[in-house]
Amino acid sequence: MTSARRLEGVRAYGRAADAFDTVAWRPPSSARFDPRVANDAVDPEPTLKELIADLPGWVTVVGGGVIAALMGALVGGALAL
């Protein structure tokens, strides 16, 4: 076994693996891989509170009107039975 391959075995398994040695596989340590994509910019997602704060004021009024209309239709349908 070449010295480069022996060094590779030391790095991967913590000991030098001989040419005919069986080495049990184990998952790499967590420090070995960075799960982020290489070109992924560190840009945090906005929170729900920030998203709601960015909405214009008329969205609240229209949303409330739609909910009131739906509730009225549901209650009216229930009373018609």
Side-chain angles (χ1 to χ4, degrees):
M1 178 177 264
T2 65
S3 61
R5 295 291 292 171
R6 188 176 303 273
L7 183 59
E8 220 172 287
V10 170
R11 284 189 189 137
Y13 304 108
R15 65 179 180 85
D18 293 330
F20 299 106
D21 256 354
T22 57
V23 179
W25 182 87
R26 65 178 179 188
S29 64
S30 60
R32 183 173 171 188
F33 293 109
D34 188 7
R36 291 181 299 151
V37 179
N39 59 354
D40 193 15
V42 180
D43 192 19
E45 290 288 325
T47 63
L48 184 61
K49 189 179 279 187
E50 292 171 350
L51 287 174
I52 292 173
D54 289 342
L55 290 175
W58 61 267
V59 173
T60 305
V61 175
V62 170
V66 168
I67 291 173
L70 287 174
M71 290 300 290
L74 291 172
V75 170
L79 291 176
L81 293 177

Short mmCIF file of all heavy atoms in Angstrom, two decimals:
data_model
loop_
_atom_site.label_atom_id
_atom_site.label_comp_id
_atom_site.label_asym_id
_atom_site.label_seq_id
_atom_site.Cartn_x
_atom_site.Cartn_y
_atom_site.Cartn_z
N MET A 1 0.86 -1.17 0.00
CA MET A 1 0.00 0.00 0.00
C MET A 1 0.90 1.23 0.00
O MET A 1 1.86 1.31 0.75
CB MET A 1 -0.90 -0.05 1.24
CG MET A 1 -1.81 1.15 1.36
SD MET A 1 -2.90 1.01 2.76
CE MET A 1 -4.32 0.37 1.96
N THR A 2 0.55 2.19 -0.83
CA THR A 2 1.37 3.39 -0.91
C THR A 2 1.15 4.25 0.32
O THR A 2 0.14 4.12 1.03
CB THR A 2 1.01 4.19 -2.18
OG1 THR A 2 -0.34 4.64 -2.04
CG2 THR A 2 1.17 3.36 -3.44
N SER A 3 2.07 5.14 0.54
CA SER A 3 1.95 6.00 1.73
C SER A 3 0.76 6.94 1.62
O SER A 3 0.13 7.29 2.62
CB SER A 3 3.24 6.78 1.94
OG SER A 3 3.49 7.61 0.82
N ALA A 4 0.43 7.34 0.39
CA ALA A 4 -0.72 8.22 0.21
C ALA A 4 -2.01 7.49 0.57
O ALA A 4 -2.90 8.05 1.21
CB ALA A 4 -0.79 8.73 -1.23
N ARG A 5 -2.14 6.23 0.15
CA ARG A 5 -3.32 5.44 0.47
C ARG A 5 -3.39 5.16 1.98
O ARG A 5 -4.46 5.14 2.57
CB ARG A 5 -3.32 4.12 -0.30
CG ARG A 5 -3.43 4.24 -1.79
CD ARG A 5 -4.78 4.73 -2.22
NE ARG A 5 -5.77 3.70 -1.95
CZ ARG A 5 -7.08 3.88 -2.07
NH1 ARG A 5 -7.53 5.03 -2.48
NH2 ARG A 5 -7.91 2.92 -1.81
N ARG A 6 -2.22 4.94 2.59
CA ARG A 6 -2.19 4.69 4.03
C ARG A 6 -2.66 5.95 4.78
O ARG A 6 -3.43 5.87 5.73
CB ARG A 6 -0.77 4.30 4.45
CG ARG A 6 -0.67 3.84 5.88
CD ARG A 6 0.73 3.36 6.21
NE ARG A 6 1.18 2.29 5.32
CZ ARG A 6 0.94 1.00 5.54
NH1 ARG A 6 0.25 0.63 6.59
NH2 ARG A 6 1.39 0.09 4.71
N LEU A 7 -2.22 7.12 4.32
CA LEU A 7 -2.63 8.38 4.93
C LEU A 7 -4.13 8.60 4.74
O LEU A 7 -4.82 9.08 5.64
CB LEU A 7 -1.85 9.55 4.34
CG LEU A 7 -2.11 10.92 4.93
CD1 LEU A 7 -1.80 10.92 6.43
CD2 LEU A 7 -1.27 11.97 4.23
N GLU A 8 -4.65 8.20 3.58
CA GLU A 8 -6.08 8.29 3.33
C GLU A 8 -6.85 7.42 4.32
O GLU A 8 -7.90 7.82 4.83
CB GLU A 8 -6.36 7.79 1.91
CG GLU A 8 -7.38 8.58 1.17
CD GLU A 8 -7.45 8.13 -0.28
OE1 GLU A 8 -6.53 8.44 -1.05
OE2 GLU A 8 -8.45 7.45 -0.60
N GLY A 9 -6.34 6.23 4.59
CA GLY A 9 -6.97 5.35 5.57
C GLY A 9 -6.94 5.93 6.97
O GLY A 9 -7.89 5.79 7.73
N VAL A 10 -5.86 6.58 7.31
CA VAL A 10 -5.76 7.21 8.64
C VAL A 10 -6.79 8.33 8.76
O VAL A 10 -7.46 8.47 9.78
CB VAL A 10 -4.33 7.73 8.88
CG1 VAL A 10 -4.28 8.58 10.14
CG2 VAL A 10 -3.36 6.58 8.99
N ARG A 11 -6.91 9.13 7.71
CA ARG A 11 -7.87 10.23 7.75
C ARG A 11 -9.31 9.72 7.82
O ARG A 11 -10.14 10.25 8.55
CB ARG A 11 -7.72 11.11 6.51
CG ARG A 11 -6.54 12.01 6.56
CD ARG A 11 -6.57 12.99 5.40
NE ARG A 11 -5.32 13.71 5.32
CZ ARG A 11 -4.68 13.96 4.20
NH1 ARG A 11 -5.16 13.56 3.05
NH2 ARG A 11 -3.55 14.63 4.21
N ALA A 12 -9.61 8.69 7.06
CA ALA A 12 -10.99 8.21 6.98
C ALA A 12 -11.39 7.36 8.18
O ALA A 12 -12.51 7.46 8.67
CB ALA A 12 -11.18 7.42 5.69
N TYR A 13 -10.51 6.51 8.65
CA TYR A 13 -10.90 5.53 9.66
C TYR A 13 -10.17 5.66 10.99
O TYR A 13 -10.41 4.90 11.90
CB TYR A 13 -10.68 4.11 9.12
CG TYR A 13 -11.42 3.88 7.84
CD1 TYR A 13 -10.76 3.78 6.63
CD2 TYR A 13 -12.80 3.77 7.84
CE1 TYR A 13 -11.45 3.59 5.46
CE2 TYR A 13 -13.51 3.58 6.67
CZ TYR A 13 -12.83 3.49 5.48
OH TYR A 13 -13.51 3.29 4.32
N GLY A 14 -9.26 6.60 11.09
CA GLY A 14 -8.56 6.79 12.34
C GLY A 14 -7.38 5.86 12.53
O GLY A 14 -6.69 5.91 13.53
N ARG A 15 -7.12 4.98 11.57
CA ARG A 15 -5.97 4.08 11.63
C ARG A 15 -5.57 3.73 10.22
O ARG A 15 -6.36 3.84 9.29
CB ARG A 15 -6.28 2.82 12.42
CG ARG A 15 -7.33 1.94 11.79
CD ARG A 15 -7.58 0.70 12.63
NE ARG A 15 -8.57 -0.14 12.01
CZ ARG A 15 -8.31 -1.04 11.08
NH1 ARG A 15 -7.08 -1.21 10.64
NH2 ARG A 15 -9.27 -1.76 10.57
N ALA A 16 -4.36 3.31 10.06
CA ALA A 16 -3.88 2.92 8.74
C ALA A 16 -4.45 1.55 8.38
O ALA A 16 -4.33 0.60 9.12
CB ALA A 16 -2.36 2.88 8.72
N ALA A 17 -5.13 1.47 7.28
CA ALA A 17 -5.70 0.20 6.84
C ALA A 17 -4.74 -0.47 5.88
O ALA A 17 -4.29 0.13 4.92
CB ALA A 17 -7.03 0.45 6.14
N ASP A 18 -4.39 -1.70 6.18
CA ASP A 18 -3.50 -2.45 5.29
C ASP A 18 -4.27 -2.87 4.04
O ASP A 18 -5.50 -2.82 3.99
CB ASP A 18 -2.93 -3.66 6.00
CG ASP A 18 -1.99 -3.24 7.12
OD1 ASP A 18 -1.36 -2.17 7.00
OD2 ASP A 18 -1.93 -3.98 8.11
N ALA A 19 -3.55 -3.33 3.06
CA ALA A 19 -4.14 -3.66 1.76
C ALA A 19 -5.21 -4.74 1.87
O ALA A 19 -6.20 -4.71 1.16
CB ALA A 19 -3.05 -4.09 0.79
N PHE A 20 -5.04 -5.72 2.75
CA PHE A 20 -5.99 -6.82 2.83
C PHE A 20 -6.85 -6.76 4.08
O PHE A 20 -7.58 -7.69 4.37
CB PHE A 20 -5.24 -8.16 2.77
CG PHE A 20 -4.49 -8.31 1.47
CD1 PHE A 20 -3.12 -8.19 1.44
CD2 PHE A 20 -5.18 -8.55 0.29
CE1 PHE A 20 -2.44 -8.33 0.24
CE2 PHE A 20 -4.50 -8.68 -0.91
CZ PHE A 20 -3.12 -8.57 -0.94
N ASP A 21 -6.78 -5.64 4.81
CA ASP A 21 -7.62 -5.47 5.98
C ASP A 21 -9.04 -5.08 5.57
O ASP A 21 -9.23 -4.31 4.64
CB ASP A 21 -7.08 -4.35 6.88
CG ASP A 21 -6.38 -4.88 8.10
OD1 ASP A 21 -6.43 -6.10 8.30
OD2 ASP A 21 -5.80 -4.06 8.83
N THR A 22 -10.02 -5.63 6.26
CA THR A 22 -11.38 -5.16 6.04
C THR A 22 -11.64 -4.04 7.02
O THR A 22 -11.30 -4.13 8.20
CB THR A 22 -12.40 -6.29 6.26
OG1 THR A 22 -12.22 -6.79 7.57
CG2 THR A 22 -12.21 -7.39 5.24
N VAL A 23 -12.22 -3.00 6.53
CA VAL A 23 -12.50 -1.84 7.37
C VAL A 23 -14.00 -1.62 7.35
O VAL A 23 -14.60 -1.50 6.28
CB VAL A 23 -11.76 -0.59 6.84
CG1 VAL A 23 -12.07 0.61 7.70
CG2 VAL A 23 -10.28 -0.86 6.81
N ALA A 24 -14.61 -1.59 8.51
CA ALA A 24 -16.05 -1.38 8.59
C ALA A 24 -16.37 0.05 8.17
O ALA A 24 -15.69 1.00 8.56
CB ALA A 24 -16.53 -1.64 10.01
N TRP A 25 -17.44 0.17 7.39
CA TRP A 25 -17.85 1.50 6.95
C TRP A 25 -18.55 2.21 8.09
O TRP A 25 -19.30 1.61 8.86
CB TRP A 25 -18.81 1.40 5.78
CG TRP A 25 -19.23 2.73 5.26
CD1 TRP A 25 -18.58 3.48 4.34
CD2 TRP A 25 -20.37 3.47 5.66
NE1 TRP A 25 -19.25 4.65 4.13
CE2 TRP A 25 -20.37 4.67 4.93
CE3 TRP A 25 -21.39 3.26 6.56
CZ2 TRP A 25 -21.34 5.65 5.07
CZ3 TRP A 25 -22.37 4.22 6.69
CH2 TRP A 25 -22.34 5.40 5.95
N ARG A 26 -18.31 3.49 8.20
CA ARG A 26 -19.05 4.30 9.14
C ARG A 26 -19.32 5.65 8.47
O ARG A 26 -18.56 6.07 7.60
CB ARG A 26 -18.29 4.49 10.44
CG ARG A 26 -17.01 5.26 10.28
CD ARG A 26 -16.33 5.47 11.61
NE ARG A 26 -15.09 6.20 11.36
CZ ARG A 26 -14.17 6.42 12.24
NH1 ARG A 26 -14.34 5.95 13.45
NH2 ARG A 26 -13.09 7.10 11.94
N PRO A 27 -20.39 6.30 8.86
CA PRO A 27 -20.70 7.58 8.21
C PRO A 27 -19.64 8.62 8.56
O PRO A 27 -19.02 8.57 9.63
CB PRO A 27 -22.06 7.95 8.79
CG PRO A 27 -22.18 7.17 10.03
CD PRO A 27 -21.37 5.93 9.85
N PRO A 28 -19.41 9.57 7.68
CA PRO A 28 -18.42 10.60 7.96
C PRO A 28 -18.86 11.47 9.14
O PRO A 28 -20.04 11.57 9.44
CB PRO A 28 -18.36 11.41 6.67
CG PRO A 28 -19.61 11.11 5.96
CD PRO A 28 -20.03 9.75 6.38
N SER A 29 -17.89 12.07 9.77
CA SER A 29 -18.22 12.91 10.92
C SER A 29 -19.00 14.13 10.44
O SER A 29 -18.91 14.54 9.29
CB SER A 29 -16.94 13.35 11.63
OG SER A 29 -16.18 14.16 10.77
N SER A 30 -19.75 14.73 11.34
CA SER A 30 -20.59 15.86 10.95
C SER A 30 -19.76 17.08 10.56
O SER A 30 -20.22 17.93 9.81
CB SER A 30 -21.54 16.22 12.09
OG SER A 30 -20.78 16.57 13.23
N ALA A 31 -18.55 17.17 11.04
CA ALA A 31 -17.71 18.32 10.71
C ALA A 31 -17.15 18.20 9.30
O ALA A 31 -16.61 19.17 8.76
CB ALA A 31 -16.57 18.43 11.71
N ARG A 32 -17.30 17.04 8.68
CA ARG A 32 -16.69 16.83 7.37
C ARG A 32 -17.46 17.53 6.25
O ARG A 32 -16.86 18.05 5.31
CB ARG A 32 -16.62 15.33 7.09
CG ARG A 32 -15.95 15.00 5.80
CD ARG A 32 -15.76 13.52 5.69
NE ARG A 32 -15.31 13.17 4.37
CZ ARG A 32 -15.20 11.95 3.92
NH1 ARG A 32 -15.50 10.95 4.71
NH2 ARG A 32 -14.81 11.71 2.71
N PHE A 33 -18.79 17.54 6.33
CA PHE A 33 -19.59 18.10 5.26
C PHE A 33 -20.38 19.31 5.75
O PHE A 33 -20.85 19.35 6.87
CB PHE A 33 -20.59 17.07 4.73
CG PHE A 33 -19.93 15.92 4.03
CD1 PHE A 33 -19.91 14.67 4.61
CD2 PHE A 33 -19.30 16.10 2.82
CE1 PHE A 33 -19.31 13.62 3.98
CE2 PHE A 33 -18.69 15.05 2.18
CZ PHE A 33 -18.69 13.80 2.76
N ASP A 34 -20.51 20.30 4.87
CA ASP A 34 -21.35 21.45 5.13
C ASP A 34 -22.60 21.26 4.28
O ASP A 34 -22.50 21.22 3.06
CB ASP A 34 -20.62 22.74 4.76
CG ASP A 34 -21.38 23.97 5.19
OD1 ASP A 34 -22.40 23.83 5.89
OD2 ASP A 34 -20.96 25.08 4.81
N PRO A 35 -23.77 21.11 4.87
CA PRO A 35 -24.95 20.75 4.09
C PRO A 35 -25.47 21.87 3.18
O PRO A 35 -26.31 21.64 2.34
CB PRO A 35 -25.99 20.41 5.16
CG PRO A 35 -25.56 21.17 6.35
CD PRO A 35 -24.06 21.21 6.28
N ARG A 36 -24.97 23.10 3.35
CA ARG A 36 -25.46 24.19 2.52
C ARG A 36 -24.94 24.07 1.10
O ARG A 36 -23.88 23.53 0.84
CB ARG A 36 -25.01 25.54 3.09
CG ARG A 36 -25.67 25.88 4.40
CD ARG A 36 -25.20 27.22 4.89
NE ARG A 36 -23.75 27.16 5.10
CZ ARG A 36 -22.95 28.20 4.99
NH1 ARG A 36 -23.42 29.36 4.68
NH2 ARG A 36 -21.66 28.08 5.21
N VAL A 37 -25.68 24.62 0.16
CA VAL A 37 -25.25 24.67 -1.22
C VAL A 37 -24.10 25.65 -1.32
O VAL A 37 -24.05 26.64 -0.61
CB VAL A 37 -26.43 25.12 -2.12
CG1 VAL A 37 -26.01 25.20 -3.56
CG2 VAL A 37 -27.60 24.19 -1.94
N ALA A 38 -23.17 25.39 -2.21
CA ALA A 38 -21.95 26.19 -2.29
C ALA A 38 -22.23 27.66 -2.58
O ALA A 38 -21.59 28.55 -2.04
CB ALA A 38 -21.02 25.61 -3.34
N ASN A 39 -23.18 27.94 -3.44
CA ASN A 39 -23.45 29.33 -3.81
C ASN A 39 -24.67 29.89 -3.09
O ASN A 39 -25.26 30.86 -3.54
CB ASN A 39 -23.63 29.45 -5.32
CG ASN A 39 -24.76 28.60 -5.82
OD1 ASN A 39 -25.34 27.83 -5.06
ND2 ASN A 39 -25.07 28.71 -7.10
N ASP A 40 -25.05 29.29 -1.98
CA ASP A 40 -26.21 29.74 -1.23
C ASP A 40 -25.83 30.93 -0.36
O ASP A 40 -25.00 30.82 0.53
CB ASP A 40 -26.71 28.59 -0.35
CG ASP A 40 -28.08 28.88 0.23
OD1 ASP A 40 -28.74 29.81 -0.26
OD2 ASP A 40 -28.48 28.17 1.16
N ALA A 41 -26.45 32.06 -0.65
CA ALA A 41 -26.16 33.26 0.15
C ALA A 41 -26.87 33.14 1.49
O ALA A 41 -27.96 32.58 1.59
CB ALA A 41 -26.64 34.50 -0.58
N VAL A 42 -26.25 33.68 2.51
CA VAL A 42 -26.85 33.64 3.85
C VAL A 42 -27.87 34.77 3.92
O VAL A 42 -27.54 35.92 4.19
CB VAL A 42 -25.78 33.78 4.94
CG1 VAL A 42 -26.41 33.73 6.31
CG2 VAL A 42 -24.74 32.70 4.78
N ASP A 43 -29.12 34.45 3.58
CA ASP A 43 -30.21 35.41 3.58
C ASP A 43 -31.37 34.79 4.34
O ASP A 43 -32.07 33.93 3.82
CB ASP A 43 -30.62 35.74 2.14
CG ASP A 43 -31.54 36.93 2.06
OD1 ASP A 43 -31.58 37.71 3.04
OD2 ASP A 43 -32.22 37.08 1.04
N PRO A 44 -31.57 35.19 5.59
CA PRO A 44 -32.60 34.53 6.41
C PRO A 44 -34.00 34.79 5.86
O PRO A 44 -34.28 35.85 5.29
CB PRO A 44 -32.42 35.16 7.79
CG PRO A 44 -31.77 36.47 7.53
CD PRO A 44 -30.92 36.28 6.30
N GLU A 45 -34.87 33.83 6.03
CA GLU A 45 -36.26 33.97 5.60
C GLU A 45 -36.98 34.95 6.53
O GLU A 45 -36.73 34.97 7.73
CB GLU A 45 -36.95 32.61 5.66
CG GLU A 45 -36.48 31.63 4.63
CD GLU A 45 -36.95 32.01 3.24
OE1 GLU A 45 -38.08 32.52 3.11
OE2 GLU A 45 -36.18 31.80 2.30
N PRO A 46 -37.89 35.76 5.98
CA PRO A 46 -38.64 36.67 6.85
C PRO A 46 -39.62 35.89 7.73
O PRO A 46 -40.16 34.86 7.32
CB PRO A 46 -39.38 37.57 5.86
CG PRO A 46 -39.43 36.80 4.59
CD PRO A 46 -38.22 35.93 4.57
N THR A 47 -39.84 36.40 8.92
CA THR A 47 -40.77 35.75 9.83
C THR A 47 -42.20 36.10 9.46
O THR A 47 -42.44 37.01 8.65
CB THR A 47 -40.49 36.18 11.28
OG1 THR A 47 -40.71 37.59 11.38
CG2 THR A 47 -39.07 35.84 11.70
N LEU A 48 -43.16 35.40 10.04
CA LEU A 48 -44.56 35.66 9.76
C LEU A 48 -44.95 37.07 10.19
O LEU A 48 -45.72 37.75 9.51
CB LEU A 48 -45.43 34.61 10.46
CG LEU A 48 -46.93 34.68 10.17
CD1 LEU A 48 -47.20 34.48 8.69
CD2 LEU A 48 -47.66 33.66 11.00
N LYS A 49 -44.41 37.50 11.31
CA LYS A 49 -44.70 38.85 11.81
C LYS A 49 -44.22 39.91 10.81
O LYS A 49 -44.92 40.91 10.56
CB LYS A 49 -44.04 39.05 13.16
CG LYS A 49 -44.44 40.34 13.87
CD LYS A 49 -43.77 40.47 15.22
CE LYS A 49 -44.53 39.65 16.23
NZ LYS A 49 -44.07 39.84 17.60
N GLU A 50 -43.05 39.71 10.22
CA GLU A 50 -42.54 40.66 9.23
C GLU A 50 -43.38 40.64 7.96
O GLU A 50 -43.62 41.68 7.35
CB GLU A 50 -41.08 40.33 8.89
CG GLU A 50 -40.12 40.59 10.02
CD GLU A 50 -38.73 40.05 9.73
OE1 GLU A 50 -38.56 39.32 8.72
OE2 GLU A 50 -37.81 40.37 10.50
N LEU A 51 -43.82 39.45 7.54
CA LEU A 51 -44.65 39.35 6.34
C LEU A 51 -45.99 40.07 6.54
O LEU A 51 -46.46 40.77 5.64
CB LEU A 51 -44.90 37.88 5.99
CG LEU A 51 -43.72 37.12 5.40
CD1 LEU A 51 -44.09 35.65 5.23
CD2 LEU A 51 -43.30 37.71 4.08
N ILE A 52 -46.59 39.92 7.71
CA ILE A 52 -47.86 40.58 7.99
C ILE A 52 -47.67 42.09 8.08
O ILE A 52 -48.51 42.87 7.62
CB ILE A 52 -48.50 40.01 9.27
CG1 ILE A 52 -48.93 38.56 9.01
CG2 ILE A 52 -49.68 40.84 9.74
CD1 ILE A 52 -49.41 37.83 10.23
N ALA A 53 -46.57 42.53 8.65
CA ALA A 53 -46.29 43.96 8.77
C ALA A 53 -46.08 44.61 7.41
O ALA A 53 -46.35 45.80 7.23
CB ALA A 53 -45.08 44.19 9.66
N ASP A 54 -45.62 43.85 6.41
CA ASP A 54 -45.36 44.39 5.08
C ASP A 54 -46.63 44.50 4.23
O ASP A 54 -46.60 45.12 3.17
CB ASP A 54 -44.34 43.53 4.35
CG ASP A 54 -42.94 43.68 4.93
OD1 ASP A 54 -42.71 44.67 5.63
OD2 ASP A 54 -42.09 42.81 4.66
N LEU A 55 -47.73 43.88 4.66
CA LEU A 55 -48.96 43.93 3.88
C LEU A 55 -49.57 45.32 3.95
O LEU A 55 -49.52 45.99 4.98
CB LEU A 55 -49.97 42.91 4.40
CG LEU A 55 -49.66 41.44 4.17
CD1 LEU A 55 -50.70 40.58 4.87
CD2 LEU A 55 -49.62 41.14 2.70
N PRO A 56 -50.19 45.78 2.84
CA PRO A 56 -50.87 47.08 2.90
C PRO A 56 -52.13 47.00 3.78
O PRO A 56 -52.67 45.90 4.02
CB PRO A 56 -51.24 47.37 1.43
CG PRO A 56 -51.07 46.09 0.70
CD PRO A 56 -50.17 45.22 1.51
N GLY A 57 -52.62 48.14 4.23
CA GLY A 57 -53.75 48.17 5.16
C GLY A 57 -55.04 47.66 4.57
O GLY A 57 -55.88 47.09 5.29
N TRP A 58 -55.26 47.82 3.27
CA TRP A 58 -56.53 47.41 2.66
C TRP A 58 -56.69 45.88 2.66
O TRP A 58 -57.81 45.40 2.57
CB TRP A 58 -56.68 47.97 1.25
CG TRP A 58 -55.62 47.52 0.28
CD1 TRP A 58 -54.46 48.16 0.00
CD2 TRP A 58 -55.63 46.32 -0.49
NE1 TRP A 58 -53.74 47.45 -0.92
CE2 TRP A 58 -54.44 46.31 -1.25
CE3 TRP A 58 -56.50 45.26 -0.64
CZ2 TRP A 58 -54.12 45.28 -2.11
CZ3 TRP A 58 -56.19 44.24 -1.51
CH2 TRP A 58 -55.01 44.25 -2.24
N VAL A 59 -55.58 45.14 2.76
CA VAL A 59 -55.67 43.68 2.76
C VAL A 59 -56.42 43.20 4.00
O VAL A 59 -57.21 42.26 3.94
CB VAL A 59 -54.26 43.06 2.67
CG1 VAL A 59 -54.31 41.55 2.84
CG2 VAL A 59 -53.61 43.41 1.35
N THR A 60 -56.22 43.85 5.12
CA THR A 60 -56.89 43.48 6.36
C THR A 60 -58.40 43.71 6.24
O THR A 60 -59.21 42.86 6.64
CB THR A 60 -56.33 44.30 7.53
OG1 THR A 60 -54.93 44.13 7.58
CG2 THR A 60 -56.95 43.87 8.85
N VAL A 61 -58.77 44.85 5.64
CA VAL A 61 -60.19 45.18 5.49
C VAL A 61 -60.87 44.19 4.53
O VAL A 61 -61.96 43.66 4.83
CB VAL A 61 -60.35 46.63 5.00
CG1 VAL A 61 -61.80 46.95 4.71
CG2 VAL A 61 -59.77 47.60 6.01
N VAL A 62 -60.24 43.94 3.39
CA VAL A 62 -60.83 43.02 2.41
C VAL A 62 -60.87 41.60 2.97
O VAL A 62 -61.87 40.89 2.80
CB VAL A 62 -60.03 43.08 1.08
CG1 VAL A 62 -60.47 41.98 0.13
CG2 VAL A 62 -60.18 44.44 0.44
N GLY A 63 -59.80 41.17 3.65
CA GLY A 63 -59.78 39.83 4.24
C GLY A 63 -60.88 39.68 5.29
O GLY A 63 -61.55 38.64 5.36
N GLY A 64 -61.07 40.70 6.11
CA GLY A 64 -62.14 40.65 7.12
C GLY A 64 -63.51 40.59 6.47
O GLY A 64 -64.40 39.86 6.95
N GLY A 65 -63.71 41.33 5.36
CA GLY A 65 -64.98 41.29 4.65
C GLY A 65 -65.26 39.92 4.05
O GLY A 65 -66.39 39.42 4.09
N VAL A 66 -64.24 39.29 3.49
CA VAL A 66 -64.40 37.96 2.90
C VAL A 66 -64.75 36.94 3.99
O VAL A 66 -65.65 36.11 3.81
CB VAL A 66 -63.12 37.54 2.14
CG1 VAL A 66 -63.14 36.08 1.77
CG2 VAL A 66 -62.94 38.41 0.90
N ILE A 67 -64.09 37.02 5.11
CA ILE A 67 -64.38 36.09 6.21
C ILE A 67 -65.79 36.32 6.74
O ILE A 67 -66.53 35.35 7.01
CB ILE A 67 -63.32 36.23 7.33
CG1 ILE A 67 -61.97 35.70 6.83
CG2 ILE A 67 -63.75 35.50 8.59
CD1 ILE A 67 -60.83 35.93 7.77
N ALA A 68 -66.22 37.58 6.85
CA ALA A 68 -67.57 37.88 7.33
C ALA A 68 -68.61 37.35 6.35
O ALA A 68 -69.65 36.81 6.76
CB ALA A 68 -67.74 39.37 7.54
N ALA A 69 -68.36 37.50 5.04
CA ALA A 69 -69.30 37.00 4.04
C ALA A 69 -69.41 35.48 4.10
O ALA A 69 -70.51 34.92 3.99
CB ALA A 69 -68.87 37.46 2.65
N LEU A 70 -68.29 34.80 4.24
CA LEU A 70 -68.30 33.34 4.34
C LEU A 70 -69.05 32.88 5.59
O LEU A 70 -69.82 31.91 5.54
CB LEU A 70 -66.87 32.79 4.33
CG LEU A 70 -66.16 32.83 2.98
CD1 LEU A 70 -64.69 32.40 3.15
CD2 LEU A 70 -66.85 31.93 1.98
N MET A 71 -68.78 33.53 6.70
CA MET A 71 -69.47 33.16 7.94
C MET A 71 -70.98 33.40 7.80
O MET A 71 -71.79 32.60 8.28
CB MET A 71 -68.90 33.96 9.12
CG MET A 71 -67.49 33.57 9.50
SD MET A 71 -67.34 31.85 9.98
CE MET A 71 -68.20 31.88 11.53
N GLY A 72 -71.35 34.51 7.16
CA GLY A 72 -72.78 34.78 6.95
C GLY A 72 -73.42 33.73 6.08
O GLY A 72 -74.55 33.30 6.34
N ALA A 73 -72.73 33.30 5.02
CA ALA A 73 -73.27 32.26 4.15
C ALA A 73 -73.40 30.94 4.90
O ALA A 73 -74.40 30.23 4.74
CB ALA A 73 -72.37 32.10 2.92
N LEU A 74 -72.43 30.62 5.72
CA LEU A 74 -72.49 29.36 6.47
C LEU A 74 -73.60 29.38 7.51
O LEU A 74 -74.35 28.41 7.66
CB LEU A 74 -71.14 29.07 7.13
CG LEU A 74 -69.99 28.71 6.18
CD1 LEU A 74 -68.68 28.65 6.95
CD2 LEU A 74 -70.27 27.39 5.51
N VAL A 75 -73.72 30.49 8.23
CA VAL A 75 -74.77 30.58 9.25
C VAL A 75 -76.15 30.62 8.60
O VAL A 75 -77.10 29.99 9.06
CB VAL A 75 -74.53 31.81 10.16
CG1 VAL A 75 -75.73 32.07 11.07
CG2 VAL A 75 -73.28 31.61 10.99
N GLY A 76 -76.26 31.36 7.48
CA GLY A 76 -77.54 31.41 6.76
C GLY A 76 -77.92 30.05 6.22
O GLY A 76 -79.10 29.65 6.25
N GLY A 77 -76.95 29.32 5.72
CA GLY A 77 -77.23 27.96 5.22
C GLY A 77 -77.64 27.04 6.35
O GLY A 77 -78.50 26.18 6.19
N ALA A 78 -77.03 27.20 7.52
CA ALA A 78 -77.37 26.34 8.65
C ALA A 78 -78.76 26.67 9.18
O ALA A 78 -79.52 25.79 9.59
CB ALA A 78 -76.33 26.52 9.75
N LEU A 79 -79.15 27.97 9.16
CA LEU A 79 -80.48 28.34 9.63
C LEU A 79 -81.57 27.96 8.66
O LEU A 79 -82.72 27.79 9.04
CB LEU A 79 -80.51 29.86 9.89
CG LEU A 79 -79.68 30.35 11.08
CD1 LEU A 79 -79.72 31.87 11.17
CD2 LEU A 79 -80.18 29.74 12.38
N ALA A 80 -81.21 27.81 7.38
CA ALA A 80 -82.20 27.44 6.37
C ALA A 80 -82.61 25.99 6.49
O ALA A 80 -83.65 25.59 5.99
CB ALA A 80 -81.65 27.71 4.98
N LEU A 81 -81.76 25.21 7.12
CA LEU A 81 -82.10 23.78 7.28
C LEU A 81 -83.16 23.64 8.27
O LEU A 81 -83.83 23.38 8.92
CB LEU A 81 -80.88 22.97 7.69
CG LEU A 81 -79.78 22.88 6.65
CD1 LEU A 81 -78.59 22.09 7.23
CD2 LEU A 81 -80.29 22.14 5.41
#
